[in-house]
Amino acid sequence: MAEYHPQQIEAKWQQRWDEARVFETEAEPSKPKYYALEMLPYPSGTMHMGHMRNYTIGDVVARVKRMRGFDVLHPMGWDAFGLPAENAAIQNKTHPRAWTNNNIAEFQRVLRRFGFSYDWRREISTCDPRYYRWNQWFFLRMFERGLAYRKKSRVNWCPKCCTVLANEQVVNGGYCWRHEDTLVESREIEQWFLKTTHYAEQLIDDLKELEGGWPERVITMQRNWIGKSIGARVKVAVSDVAGLEPIEIFTTRIDTIYGASAIILAPTHPLVHPLLAGSPRQKEAEPQLAHMRQTSVKTEDLATAEKVGFFTGRHAINPFNKEELPIWVANFVLMEYGTGAIMAVPAHDQRDFEFCRKYGLPLRVVVQPDGVEPLDAEKMTAPFEEHEDGKLVNSGPYNGLSVDDAILAMSAHAQAQGFGQREITFRLRDWGISRQRYWGTPIPVVYCENDGIVPVPDKDLPVVLPENAKLTGEGGSPLAATHEFVNTTCPKCGGPARRETDTMDTFVDSSWYFYRYCDPLNDQAPFDSAKVAYWFPIDQYIGGITHAILHLLYSRFWCKVMRDIGLVKHNEPITRLFTQGMVQKGGMAMSKSRGNVVGAMEMADKYGADTGRLYTLFAAPPEKDLEWSEESIEGAWRFINRVFRLVDRHAPTVKDAARWNVSPQGLSGKERELVRVTYETLRRVTQDFESRWHFNSAIALIMELTNEIYAAEPLEEGVRPEIRKEVLEMLTLMLAPMTPHLAEELWEMLGHPDGLWKASWPVLAAAQKDLARVEEVEVVVQVNGRVRARLKVAAGLGEADLVPKALAEPAVAQHINGKRVVKQIVVPDKLVNLVVA
Ligand SMILES: [Zn+2]
Ligand SMILES: [Zn+2]
């Protein structure tokens, strides 16, 4: 009797797969193609079981598709640039490249140890000049088209680090993550931008192509992020500063303008200073303004940040009703959105409601909901924001109009009177890609005194990151201090020039990496369009919900740029997206900083990769969070051992048996029940894999099947070897996508020397489908709720057949005893209940 030794079995099969190059994929046009992809990891820290879930799900999908006859592309690579490598290098006095490469080696060891079916020949690393060269190439194509440009913009600036901080590096409400006593400043510097807004309309419209393939919630997040709104600009005249230009406000609800209580400007609005100059409130306001400008609110925090503001002492005239409105400045109005000025309508907008209640500004209802108690301004505890089902009130000539009609009528009036116009706006901003850091792709331009900004010619790419930059974490960009890098000659005039020292946001790297897998070694172009046309779009992309906005949005943007350059033909890169749940331990996501990680390698060393894979698939549906439980791992381990022992026990007597001919003739009762439950399990597991990804319920079904087989032991009594072989083979094939090493080993034990990887997913033939059906069922017969008999009948009989059979049972007749049946309740295949009186 053999024992299950996962370490040996898993090493053995991984070696066999490598030798036979099982997962190396080339285009095979005779088969349908399938591109299965998991989001590429950032190689940092230890790979833990939280990471493994994503890859396990992807691997099951890839393996199922391969078994079902698809030509499957399943690659892996590394998102290798980024700040953590730079910081780790500063801390450990090493080079970011050395640190990153060590991590990549470790990550690769873990992924190989888990037997994931990647085509490793296609591996890419974004910090490789052969890769980032094409980031630079794309940048130049965008620069030529005006899609890459330079402008001044506000950034988070740490005066101690002397560098720009990403939003995530601003912590505890405005402090530097490395200097927790240093308040982050908001500064204006020149930065490079990619013009994502050029595609704003398409990025919204093409979401339609993703419906049904992407989670509804991700589509909504994308739509909200892009934030298309049809609004109006309205000019309001300032009444108490002579000669000042009117303030232009932007609103998406011009219909509520009769309910305005104030005009509010962004702290950086150019009219703030002219308004304050000589105002009775100037003295109090100026320090407040200075503070506000220093601690700017981030877009993503707008909804939750505390709203603060001050009155300028000035007033403006509402052009619709000539009312005088106080002009305020507040932190929740952003210069980057609309015109940097709004009207506050507290009765019909949440932010305005909170702000005006806080500062005692009046509230007036101008839209009344239909068919309910009229709103009372004094008693409102929340604004009425609905578009639908409302009519205008307190709005002069517009009273009685619906919201939509009022928006049209009032914008038309504003336009006719010359104080306003309709306008479509987007919340989406252009993508700031400049980072004043070392470990990223150098931006390929130089600055020449004669020629200004000069792009580096294609033939001089890549602009290689110098290996010798000094990394101290302070004093600004390390590249700027590396003179050999900075000082260069102008490609245009040959005179002295300075290189750009900003590097690109690492989201650039991940915006197009999945195209490169199709043609990873190309040194003439980012990829061959024909190869991409074969594999794209991605059939299944798998990753965390944390990437639901930026990574996916930038990838969609990149795709549209590439389409317009003529590199690809599709509009959208990803057909189906799946966002898996998190792995938690003690109720919190696994993370090194919380100290609750379970290392993937420890898991494999203790139980083997197959147990780890099976556990993560079984413990929760893939889209739900999973709470780590050591007991359940033991359960998965015991189940695998049970299957192994079962096959091991029967293998010697079945491995040479011929294939069973699937004939119902001559089946014993025991055989019939065994093949029935096997085929029925296969039918349901196939369904779980194909349409719904209920891997956990598929595993539960396979566990049940295993229990049924054990319950029929000893199988030698009454079950022919060819039928035992059929049943054990089906069990093995069903396990193959989830526990591939185990399945290969069992397959070999069952008499197949040349590898399960060559086997197909079993498809039930008509004869097998017939056998899957339940033939005989047991129906319980009750009289007045008490069980009096059990009938063995053909499955599927209705009331007309079941009731006479029940009445014919002697035990039933005896309890009816001549009384009248007043009611009969029949559940086909289960129950007949007769009520007598
Ligand atoms: Zn700092
Ligand atoms: Zn020049």
Side-chain angles (χ1 to χ4, degrees):
M1 263 250 173
E3 256 186 70
Y4 174 56
H5 291 296
Q7 311 302 342
Q8 287 166 21
I9 290 176
E10 291 172 0
K12 166 182 162 186
W13 289 102
Q14 284 163 15
Q15 197 189 340
R16 294 274 295 270
W17 293 332
D18 280 350
E19 284 164 3
R21 303 169 160 237
V22 172
F23 307 122
E24 295 183 4
T25 310
E26 293 301 334
E28 273 184 75
S30 62
K31 293 177 171 182
K33 72 92 186 175
Y34 195 89
Y35 189 173
L37 183 68
E38 300 105 62
M39 289 181 185
L40 88 174
Y42 181 76
S44 146
T46 320
M47 244 194 180
H48 56 68
M49 289 307 291
H51 298 121
M52 302 318 278
R53 194 178 189 193
N54 182 12
Y55 311 121
T56 303
I57 293 168
D59 197 53
V60 172
V61 172
R63 285 175 180 272
V64 168
K65 289 292 173 186
R66 260 186 227 110
M67 288 181 83
R68 305 210 63 159
F70 286 82
D71 184 17
V72 175
L73 177 62
H74 189 217
M76 182 43 67
W78 316 105
D79 191 12
F81 271 140
L83 195 57
E86 199 164 329
N87 289 332
I90 294 166
Q91 260 174 20
N92 309 328
K93 303 225 179 325
T94 156
H95 194 276
R97 185 173 302 283
W99 185 86
T100 304
N101 286 343
N102 275 340
N103 283 326
I104 289 177
E106 179 57 20
F107 270 42
Q108 207 201 60
R109 199 168 72 90
V110 176
L111 294 182
R112 284 180 179 274
R113 178 65 191 83
F114 273 71
F116 297 129
S117 58
Y118 301 124
D119 182 350
W120 284 108
R121 296 171 313 156
R122 295 173 181 270
E123 177 184 4
I124 57 160
S125 171
T126 59
C127 68
D128 184 337
R130 290 170 301 179
Y131 180 83
Y132 69 68
R133 165 186 184 177
W134 301 109
N135 285 344
Q136 295 172 340
W137 185 88
F138 279 120
F139 177 90
L140 293 174
R141 300 294 84 78
M142 291 194 210
F143 182 75
E144 287 157 9
R145 286 163 176 76
L147 293 172
Y149 67 95
R150 209 166 136 81
K151 74 164 184 198
K152 273 202 166 171
S153 96
R154 280 207 167 264
V155 293
N156 305 306
W157 179 268
C158 172
K160 268 210 185 139
C161 298
C162 287
T163 189
V164 172
L165 301 183
N167 284 340
E168 310 80 66
Q169 297 168 319
V170 183
V171 297
N172 304 331
Y175 291 86
C176 174
W177 66 320
R178 299 178 65 221
H179 304 106
E180 300 210 352
D181 57 342
T182 306
L183 203 57
V184 173
E185 294 172 7
S186 170
R187 273 208 190 173
E188 266 209 327
I189 63 167
E190 289 262 324
Q191 305 244 75
W192 283 98
F193 284 83
L194 300 184
K195 212 170 192 175
T196 44
T197 55
H198 179 74
Y199 291 97
E201 194 82 56
Q202 284 181 39
L203 287 166
I204 285 265
D205 287 350
D206 292 348
L207 287 173
K208 283 192 214 86
E209 291 186 24
L210 308 177
E211 276 166 19
W214 283 36
E216 197 52 50
R217 139 166 108 130
V218 175
I219 293 180
T220 304
M221 286 162 89
Q222 293 259 317
R223 183 172 290 122
N224 292 343
W225 187 261
I226 302 163
K228 179 179 179 175
S229 53
I230 298 169
R233 283 170 181 259
V234 178
K235 283 179 186 156
V236 295
V238 178
S239 61
D240 38 15
V241 184
L244 199 63
E245 61 187 281
I247 298 170
E248 195 167 33
I249 60 160
F250 175 78
T251 173
T252 56
R253 291 294 303 275
I254 193 173
D255 59 298
T256 62
I257 198 164
Y258 282 78
S261 307
I263 298 297
I264 307 182
L265 305 185
T268 52
H269 195 287
L271 287 178
V272 172
H273 279 303
L275 284 166
L276 285 179
S279 148
R281 306 291 289 238
Q282 183 173 10
K283 266 229 170 73
E284 309 160 54
E286 271 174 353
Q288 287 172 285
L289 178 67
H291 181 73
M292 231 181 247
R293 285 188 167 186
Q294 209 177 47
T295 56
S296 62
V297 180
K298 292 176 257 167
T299 316
E300 55 272 33
D301 294 340
L302 273 183
T304 49
E306 172 159 25
K307 287 153 195 67
V308 291
F310 59 84
F311 176 41
T312 60
R314 303 297 192 186
H315 297 83
I317 304 295
N318 184 334
F320 277 85
N321 59 8
K322 310 295 178 218
E323 262 179 24
E324 200 163 62
L325 299 172
I327 302 173
W328 285 64
V329 173
N331 65 342
F332 70 98
V333 180
L334 301 186
M335 200 56 220
E336 293 80 19
Y337 183 70
T339 58
I342 64 158
M343 60 178 189
V345 184
H348 303 290
D349 179 277
Q350 183 64 42
R351 287 177 201 169
D352 298 351
F353 183 86
E354 289 168 27
F355 186 79
C356 292
R357 275 282 152 93
K358 177 173 172 183
Y359 290 104
L361 288 159
L363 182 150
R364 182 194 294 154
V365 173
V366 289
V367 180
Q368 277 290 2
D370 281 340
V372 294
E373 271 300 277
L375 297 172
D376 180 345
E378 300 300 311
K379 295 186 188 138
M380 282 174 83
T381 53
F384 174 66
E385 291 184 295
E386 299 299 308
H387 269 258
E388 295 97 36
D389 309 330
K391 291 272 187 310
L392 266 67
V393 295
N394 298 324
S395 298
Y398 304 99
N399 283 342
L401 290 185
S402 72
V403 167
D404 289 338
D405 289 345
I407 288 176
L408 290 177
M410 293 164 90
S411 338
H413 174 73
Q415 191 143 4
Q417 298 296 309
F419 64 76
Q421 67 194 62
R422 245 164 69 106
E423 190 176 272
I424 292 171
T425 56
F426 293 93
R427 182 176 171 271
L428 183 69
R429 303 290 84 162
D430 283 340
W431 175 10
I433 59 157
S434 282
R435 297 291 180 272
Q436 288 69 38
R437 304 208 181 84
Y438 169 71
W439 194 231
T441 304
I443 293 177
V445 297
V446 302
Y447 300 97
C448 166
E449 262 179 42
N450 301 320
D451 302 306
I453 297 175
V454 181
V456 174
D458 283 7
K459 67 172 175 56
D460 295 342
L461 298 184
V463 175
V464 178
L465 208 51
E467 291 290 312
N468 61 347
K470 282 210 176 54
L471 303 177
T472 59
E474 299 190 5
S477 160
L479 285 184
T482 311
H483 302 293
E484 311 90 286
F485 177 79
V486 176
N487 298 321
T488 183
T489 50
C490 169
K492 220 171 178 178
C493 70
R498 291 175 59 81
R499 278 192 195 283
E500 170 64 68
T501 56
D502 286 355
T503 54
M504 297 183 196
D505 180 5
T506 55
F507 273 114
V508 168
D509 309 339
S510 55
S511 287
W512 69 279
Y513 75 100
F514 33 56
Y515 294 90
R516 185 74 179 169
Y517 286 139
C518 300
D519 195 11
L521 302 176
N522 198 328
D523 59 2
Q524 301 299 311
F527 49 78
D528 174 353
S529 292
K531 288 184 178 167
V532 160
Y534 179 82
W535 290 111
F536 266 75
I538 296 167
D539 295 279
Q540 185 67 62
Y541 196 29
I542 303 165
I545 189 80
T546 46
H547 297 292
I549 299 177
L550 293 184
H551 163 54
L552 293 171
L553 189 80
Y554 294 149
S555 300
R556 297 181 59 223
F557 161 74
W558 214 271
C559 174
K560 289 169 202 310
V561 173
M562 295 198 311
R563 181 201 57 198
D564 290 353
I565 294 176
L567 286 173
V568 303
K569 292 212 161 64
H570 51 270
N571 287 324
E572 289 288 335
I574 300 153
T575 306
R576 294 186 71 80
L577 171 72
F578 184 83
T579 51
Q580 85 277 2
M582 277 186 305
V583 178
Q584 305 185 326
K585 196 175 171 207
M588 281 182 301
M590 275 190 190
S591 101
K592 198 177 152 199
S593 60
R594 292 195 189 96
N596 65 344
V597 297
V598 177
M601 227 35 176
E602 293 157 49
M603 181 76 202
D605 287 345
K606 191 164 172 198
Y607 295 101
D610 280 339
T611 296
R613 295 170 58 118
L614 188 80
Y615 167 74
T616 44
L617 293 165
F618 181 57
E623 71 280 8
K624 296 266 163 55
D625 290 346
L626 179 164
E627 176 62 35
W628 190 261
S629 144
E630 202 67 30
E631 262 169 59
S632 311
I633 297 162
E634 291 284 346
W637 164 254
R638 279 195 304 272
F639 167 68
I640 286 182
N641 275 276
R642 237 163 106 74
V643 173
F644 184 86
R645 284 196 306 271
L646 179 69
V647 174
D648 180 52
R649 194 172 99 68
H650 291 285
T653 54
V654 307
K655 71 179 187 336
D656 297 321
R659 267 221 85 175
W660 180 47
N661 64 358
V662 198
S663 160
Q665 256 73 54
L667 278 180
S668 70
K670 190 171 173 181
E671 286 174 336
R672 178 177 289 273
E673 183 50 22
L674 206 54
V675 294
R676 185 198 66 74
V677 68
T678 303
Y679 292 148
E680 174 62 5
T681 303
L682 175 61
R683 187 184 69 76
R684 293 171 65 188
V685 167
T686 304
Q687 243 174 30
D688 282 341
F689 276 168
E690 273 306 283
S691 49
R692 302 176 304 208
W693 286 23
H694 289 184
F695 304 134
N696 56 322
S697 75
I699 294 168
L701 287 166
I702 297 169
M703 288 175 166
E704 248 173 70
L705 171 64
T706 308
N707 289 342
E708 298 264 357
I709 300 171
Y710 264 97
E713 288 274 39
L715 296 180
E716 296 88 333
E717 290 173 16
V719 184
R720 285 166 281 161
E722 60 266 38
I723 293 183
R724 274 186 276 151
K725 185 172 183 174
E726 170 83 356
V727 167
L728 296 174
E729 280 186 5
M730 293 284 165
L731 175 67
T732 302
L733 290 170
M734 281 190 268
L735 281 168
M738 299 177 287
T739 55
H741 314 85
L742 170 75
E744 289 279 9
E745 185 71 13
L746 301 180
W747 193 246
E748 190 180 58
M749 286 156 70
L750 287 168
H752 303 280
D754 49 356
L756 185 148
W757 71 78
K758 291 183 183 156
S760 300
W761 186 258
V763 177
L764 288 175
Q768 291 167 309
K769 278 187 194 151
D770 285 345
L771 285 169
R773 243 168 250 134
V774 182
E775 303 232 309
E776 216 171 44
V777 291
E778 188 181 80
V779 174
V780 172
V781 183
Q782 298 176 332
V783 177
N784 286 352
R786 303 192 58 175
V787 177
R788 297 303 179 189
R790 292 169 195 275
L791 302 173
K792 288 265 189 211
V793 295
L797 291 188
E799 188 166 342
D801 291 314
L802 284 173
V803 173
K805 280 189 199 294
L807 292 172
E809 283 290 303
V812 175
Q814 186 196 332
H815 283 96
I816 291 177
N817 197 15
K819 281 179 256 175
R820 197 165 59 89
V821 177
V822 294
K823 199 175 174 191
Q824 51 194 45
I825 299 149
V826 176
V827 182
D829 295 348
K830 293 233 158 69
L831 173 84
V832 175
N833 185 12
L834 303 168
V835 181
V836 298

